[in-house]
Amino acid sequence: MKIVKNAGNIELHETENFVLAQTLDCGQAFRWQELEEDLWQGVAFGKHLKIGAKDGVITLYDTTEEDFYEIWQNYFDLERDYPEILRTLSANEVLKTAGEYAYGIRILRQEPWEALCSFIISQNNNIPRIKGIVERLCENFGDKIADGFYSFPSAQKIASLTLEDLAILRSGFRAKYILDAAKKVASGEIVLEELRNMPLDTARAELVKIYGVGEKVADCTLLFGLSHINAFPKDVWIKRATQKLFDGVLPECATDYAGIAQQYIFHYARMTKLEI
DNA sequence: AGCCAGGGTCTGC
DNA sequence: GCAGACCATGGC
């Protein structure tokens, strides 16, 4: 990959395994919208970004080198060797096929609190409505960072609110879970950053102390927010898919990259509805 | 109208 | 450990 500064933009040439639609609209993050074909905008780490792909070049508009190297290079997981991972997973024929369906998905390195909060909201819910609730959360309680764009509100901010305040989200029974998570994070009872370098099981055990956080939400937080690439969140699609495709047991070649395999399988299962 | 959605808690065996 | 009721809301 070549990184080129051009006017006020940053251009990525010769990227491998990076497709915007696959990455931004695969159900791992909920704040990206497509403006037109291959042109997206969203907010992460308190920054607004417009990013597009054209003629094999991915352009981050109005982006400084400082923001690119401090935020976006990490956010888009640009230093990970996806082609190599895809080769490893391809030792299994089914995973190879799933990897082809999901070509270009990268695991975003989101802010831990945003990932935790988003996946609490995701439970027993569908993706369009998750996006709506997250957007209302940001509009009402985040900071305005540009015209019509808001940061994801901090745990401290949410912890200062009441259930009545959160009613505007229309998040249903999840509001009390959001509040408990915010209080445990804001008080320091749970320090999310410390979970980053813990063994997976130890980190998960911490997260499930939060009311309304079970194994699946914990694993999503660890995979999408805390760089645990071997976490394997088991949602309804994954349970159905692993049963049908692998007799319930994930192939051994996926052990080290279970989280990436999970995204591939999730995407593959939804695209095919497991009818093939 | 009833079912389902990137689940979790609580109760009862 | 495992099954089943229940939980809010909205789209189909």
Side-chain angles (χ1 to χ4, degrees), chain A residues 42-86:
Chain A
V43 176
F45 290 85
K47 299 268 184 177
H48 168 263
L49 177 69
K50 190 162 80 166
I51 183 169
K54 195 174 184 183
D55 302 328
V57 177
I58 291 177
T59 302
L60 292 81
Y61 294 95
D62 297 320
T63 301
T64 64
E65 282 185 286
E66 188 181 356
D67 278 352
F68 176 76
Y69 286 110
E70 285 191 2
I71 298 175
W72 305 117
Q73 177 169 251
N74 178 62
Y75 182 75
F76 290 110
D77 205 18
L78 294 180
E79 294 184 294
R80 194 189 296 282
D81 188 350
Y82 279 81
E84 171 59 23
I85 292 169
L86 193 52

Side-chain angles (χ1 to χ4, degrees), chain A residues 36-133:
Chain A
E36 54 187 74
E37 178 92 12
D38 279 333
L39 184 64
W40 295 75
Q41 69 176 349
V43 176
F45 290 85
K47 299 268 184 177
H48 168 263
L49 177 69
K50 190 162 80 166
I51 183 169
K54 195 174 184 183
D55 302 328
V57 177
I58 291 177
T59 302
L60 292 81
Y61 294 95
D62 297 320
T63 301
T64 64
E65 282 185 286
E66 188 181 356
D67 278 352
F68 176 76
Y69 286 110
E70 285 191 2
I71 298 175
W72 305 117
Q73 177 169 251
N74 178 62
Y75 182 75
F76 290 110
D77 205 18
L78 294 180
E79 294 184 294
R80 194 189 296 282
D81 188 350
Y82 279 81
E84 171 59 23
I85 292 169
L86 193 52
R87 279 192 289 276
T88 302
L89 297 178
S90 295
N92 177 275
E93 278 303 316
V94 177
L95 283 177
K96 183 178 180 183
T97 304
E100 285 164 2
Y101 269 81
Y103 181 80
I105 288 182
R106 308 183 77 87
I107 305 292
L108 297 171
R109 294 175 182 258
Q110 302 178 55
E111 290 182 272
W113 163 246
E114 177 174 341
L116 170 60
C117 202
S118 297
F119 282 95
I120 286 173
I121 291 168
S122 80
Q123 66 175 263
N124 200 32
N125 212 342
N126 57 64
I127 290 176
R129 203 166 82 90
I130 297 165
K131 288 182 177 175
I133 294 169

Side-chain angles (χ1 to χ4, degrees), chain A residues 11-245:
Chain A
E11 296 178 351
L12 309 177
H13 296 248
E14 300 165 27
T15 55
E16 289 186 294
N17 212 299
F18 185 15
V19 176
L20 293 177
Q22 299 278 68
T23 298
L24 299 175
D25 200 25
C26 68
Q28 60 171 325
F30 304 100
R31 298 205 64 196
W32 292 93
Q33 60 172 146
E34 191 170 23
L35 296 170
E36 54 187 74
E37 178 92 12
D38 279 333
L39 184 64
W40 295 75
Q41 69 176 349
V43 176
F45 290 85
K47 299 268 184 177
H48 168 263
L49 177 69
K50 190 162 80 166
I51 183 169
K54 195 174 184 183
D55 302 328
V57 177
I58 291 177
T59 302
L60 292 81
Y61 294 95
D62 297 320
T63 301
T64 64
E65 282 185 286
E66 188 181 356
D67 278 352
F68 176 76
Y69 286 110
E70 285 191 2
I71 298 175
W72 305 117
Q73 177 169 251
N74 178 62
Y75 182 75
F76 290 110
D77 205 18
L78 294 180
E79 294 184 294
R80 194 189 296 282
D81 188 350
Y82 279 81
E84 171 59 23
I85 292 169
L86 193 52
R87 279 192 289 276
T88 302
L89 297 178
S90 295
N92 177 275
E93 278 303 316
V94 177
L95 283 177
K96 183 178 180 183
T97 304
E100 285 164 2
Y101 269 81
Y103 181 80
I105 288 182
R106 308 183 77 87
I107 305 292
L108 297 171
R109 294 175 182 258
Q110 302 178 55
E111 290 182 272
W113 163 246
E114 177 174 341
L116 170 60
C117 202
S118 297
F119 282 95
I120 286 173
I121 291 168
S122 80
Q123 66 175 263
N124 200 32
N125 212 342
N126 57 64
I127 290 176
R129 203 166 82 90
I130 297 165
K131 288 182 177 175
I133 294 169
V134 169
E135 220 36 54
R136 287 192 288 279
L137 181 68
C138 296
E139 285 172 7
N140 283 284
F141 306 116
D143 297 324
K144 187 170 182 176
I145 56 170
D147 205 20
F149 293 94
Y150 298 84
S151 65
F152 196 93
S154 67
Q156 286 74 12
K157 171 68 182 180
I158 303 296
S160 74
L161 304 173
T162 65
L163 276 180
E164 292 72 48
D165 295 328
L166 294 181
I168 195 169
L169 303 179
R170 305 198 301 277
S171 63
F173 60 85
R174 305 165 191 84
K176 54 187 181 289
Y177 301 157
I178 296 169
L179 213 47
D180 187 63
K183 285 178 177 170
K184 284 191 167 66
V185 171
S187 71
E189 183 176 341
I190 293 180
V191 182
L192 294 175
E193 275 303 327
E194 288 181 354
L195 308 185
R196 195 181 292 276
N197 295 315
M198 284 184 189
L200 183 62
D201 292 344
T202 315
R204 184 192 297 118
E206 284 297 304
L207 287 172
V208 299
K209 290 177 182 170
I210 297 166
Y211 182 42
V213 174
E215 196 167 318
K216 192 270 176 183
V217 170
D219 281 349
C220 282
T221 305
L222 292 168
L223 175 59
F224 301 122
L226 288 161
S227 311
H228 281 267
I229 205 67
N230 59 333
F232 190 80
K234 293 188 263 299
D235 61 76
V236 286
W237 283 99
I238 291 294
K239 284 176 185 168
R240 285 197 288 257
T242 49
Q243 195 56 46
K244 174 160 184 173
L245 302 174

